[in-house]
Amino acid sequence: MTVGRICSREVDLVDTDESVQVAAERMNSRNVGTLIVLDEEKHPIGMITDRDLALRIVGKARDPIETLVSEIMTRFPDNISEETPIEIALSKMRAGGFRRLPVVDEEGKLIGVLTLDDILELLSTEFTEIGRLIKKESPTSLAGY
């Protein structure tokens, strides 16, 4: 299965010239933990996360109203192609310590975001189905035959 099949296609955006306060309010109102910054061609050029807010604003006692997104965003975040197998994406996330990756099409344009939660939800579903299959085919379920 590829990343494009499970990534979130509704992505919340932010501009570099917006204040961190506005970004935090957007995260709160939309109940998301990340906002993506795009260039004019829709390529991801930055990302700001709830962790960035905690470490780079609160942890350093910076003023969120005066600080711009461009000052604290992660620039040119790693991204992943929508055609990438999920196993490769998970490996990339583990190696880089990422919980979220922008997902791009063949032109490098943003089409979604893959989160660790997306992968865990898929694995949970798969393990549940495997458990049902094992239970169905166990010797105790076949006792009536």
Side-chain angles (χ1 to χ4, degrees), residues 113-129:
V113 174
L114 178 70
T115 67
L116 187 55
D117 289 351
D118 295 330
I119 295 172
L120 292 175
E121 186 176 321
L122 172 69
L123 291 175
S124 174
T125 301
E126 293 296 320
F127 284 130
T128 299
E129 292 302 316

Side-chain angles (χ1 to χ4, degrees), residues 57-144:
I57 297 297
V58 177
K60 294 187 177 181
R62 293 179 72 175
D63 182 351
I65 295 171
E66 295 298 320
T67 306
L68 298 179
V69 167
S70 62
E71 297 175 53
I72 70 157
M73 71 181 192
T74 299
R75 293 181 182 279
F76 303 104
D78 281 358
N79 58 54
I80 197 152
S81 164
E82 66 181 319
E83 299 302 323
T84 303
I86 292 167
E87 298 83 6
I88 301 295
L90 184 57
S91 178
K92 185 171 187 171
M93 291 172 113
R94 279 195 334 252
F98 311 129
R99 291 185 56 225
R100 304 167 180 101
L101 284 172
V103 179
V104 297
D105 64 14
E106 63 278 352
E107 296 174 0
K109 294 181 181 182
L110 183 73
I111 62 154
V113 174
L114 178 70
T115 67
L116 187 55
D117 289 351
D118 295 330
I119 295 172
L120 292 175
E121 186 176 321
L122 172 69
L123 291 175
S124 174
T125 301
E126 293 296 320
F127 284 130
T128 299
E129 292 302 316
I130 291 169
R132 287 185 184 134
L133 179 61
I134 290 171
K135 186 174 182 177
K136 180 180 173 185
E137 295 186 4
S138 72
T140 56
S141 68
L142 300 175

